[in-house]
Amino acid sequence: MKVRLGINPLTWTNDDMPELGAETPLETCLAEARLAGFAGVELGNKFPRVAGQLKPILEAHGLALVSGWYGSRLLEREVDAEMAEAEPHIALLTALGCTTMVQCEVTGSVHGQKATALTCRPILARAQWDVLLPRLDEMARRLKARGLSMAYHHHMGTVVEAEDEVDRLMAGTRDVGLLLDTGHLTFAGGDPVRAARRHAARVVHVHCKDIRPGVMADVKARGLSFLDSVLEGVFTVPGDGCVDYPAVLAQLPDYEGWLVVEAEQDPAKAHPLTYARMGHDYLSRVT
């Protein structure tokens, strides 16, 4: 593997719950990401979205921009409209040298709704798959022409959550790349080792999120929402949970890209720099 280690600013400040880490300035996030040893960061809600402003900030900390999340609504609109909506984001990523764009279909998603149980998340009918898959593939081709691989992020509370849905997404597309998220797949009841082995050739981005199995069992038994599960501490950094990272990474011998530590936690309970260092040091040992 030829990999670089990056981190998502969720460690310090949460996009879906901005009150978590609201008091932490971007300067702290970036300085501590570099202090922990990371080479790059993904976008977060405190980042300026103008390339001329963001580039010198990242350069001052010796950090590259890894990628950034884009929530698409391709079940609701055509590819032309989606590309137009995504254009500022695409332009920012390309201007800063990114090669992947993290994308997730968020039509009907419940992951940002604190009062809605994960069991209420949308399940696609066959006719909806028949709409979504060709649109994703077409958008992936257009992104490729712009120098970006679509890294599709299967995510709790969305239309592609379970392992069989990831399989269906991969089988029904050709140009869509896969963002393998070890934590989300485990939370969804899947096996990240099996998924990595099955889809190794399509993996273009990896989110390294670990799971506390006791917390996972508890939040599932209580029927909690995604955000309440985060607050309960279901996620943690690699090496602090039950995901077998050596086994996952062994399935990706030809992967060349970023391994991104991404662990939504309450920074008041999980000291950001401490956990950032834990994640970095663990991945450094197993790669």
Side-chain angles (χ1 to χ4, degrees):
M1 299 179 74
K2 296 180 180 179
V3 297
R4 302 170 74 187
L5 302 185
I7 192 166
N8 191 291
L10 284 169
T11 302
W12 291 269
T13 178
N14 195 287
D15 283 6
D16 293 320
M17 291 181 283
E19 64 273 20
L20 296 184
E23 71 287 353
T24 304
L26 177 61
E27 175 73 19
T28 298
C29 300
L30 299 179
E32 292 190 351
R34 188 59 182 159
L35 188 61
F38 291 100
V41 290
E42 289 192 335
L43 284 172
N45 61 17
K46 294 183 177 179
F47 287 55
R49 299 303 173 105
V50 177
Q53 296 174 10
L54 181 55
K55 185 175 181 180
I57 293 172
L58 293 176
E59 287 178 343
H61 291 278
L63 293 167
L65 183 65
V66 175
S67 187
W69 165 281
Y70 178 74
S72 63
R73 294 186 176 274
L74 285 166
L75 282 165
E76 300 177 335
R77 55 192 174 206
E78 300 281 352
V79 178
D80 285 345
E82 196 66 70
M83 287 294 294
E85 184 72 20
E87 178 55 35
H89 186 66
I90 294 168
L92 177 63
L93 296 183
T94 55
L96 288 174
C98 297
T99 58
T100 60
M101 186 173 94
V102 175
Q103 182 161 335
C104 178
E105 178 63 22
V106 297
T107 300
S109 168
V110 302
H111 74 281
Q113 300 174 17
K114 195 170 184 296
T116 304
L118 277 169
T119 51
C120 296
R121 64 102 176 185
I123 304 292
L124 293 184
R126 179 175 179 177
Q128 292 173 300
W129 281 107
D130 290 344
V131 170
L132 179 62
L133 295 179
R135 288 181 178 179
L136 280 171
D137 232 9
E138 174 60 26
M139 188 164 176
R141 285 190 287 272
R142 296 194 194 187
L143 288 173
K144 191 173 294 185
R146 299 286 297 275
L148 293 170
S149 295
M150 179 191 291
Y152 191 92
H153 192 340
H154 54 94
H155 196 289
M156 297 298 294
T158 71
V159 296
V160 181
E161 174 187 287
E163 187 175 352
D164 65 329
E165 292 167 335
V166 174
D167 292 344
R168 188 166 186 173
L169 169 68
M170 293 291 95
T173 59
R174 185 179 62 183
D175 295 295
V176 174
L178 178 63
L179 186 163
L180 178 65
D181 188 302
T182 53
H184 278 277
L185 200 59
T186 302
F187 196 176
D191 181 348
V193 176
R194 181 172 57 218
R197 179 171 60 250
R198 183 176 295 147
H199 304 300
R202 302 281 292 276
V203 174
V204 297
H205 203 53
V206 180
H207 276 178
C208 298
K209 184 189 283 97
D210 217 333
I211 287 283
R212 294 184 174 100
V215 178
M216 178 176 67
D218 176 62
V219 298
K220 286 186 174 183
R222 293 160 61 194
L224 296 189
S225 67
F226 177 73
L227 295 182
D228 279 338
S229 298
V230 168
L231 291 173
E232 290 293 316
V234 69
F235 294 127
T236 185
V237 296
D240 190 43
C242 65
V243 174
D244 186 348
Y245 279 96
V248 171
L249 298 176
Q251 311 307 315
L252 304 172
D254 299 320
Y255 177 71
E256 297 184 4
W258 290 94
L259 299 180
V260 180
V261 171
E262 189 202 44
E264 297 100 318
Q265 299 190 84
D266 183 346
K269 299 177 181 178
H271 183 254
L273 180 55
T274 298
Y275 277 85
R277 280 175 163 155
M278 287 170 57
H280 176 275
D281 293 351
Y282 176 77
L283 288 179
S284 295
R285 291 196 302 270
V286 300
T287 54

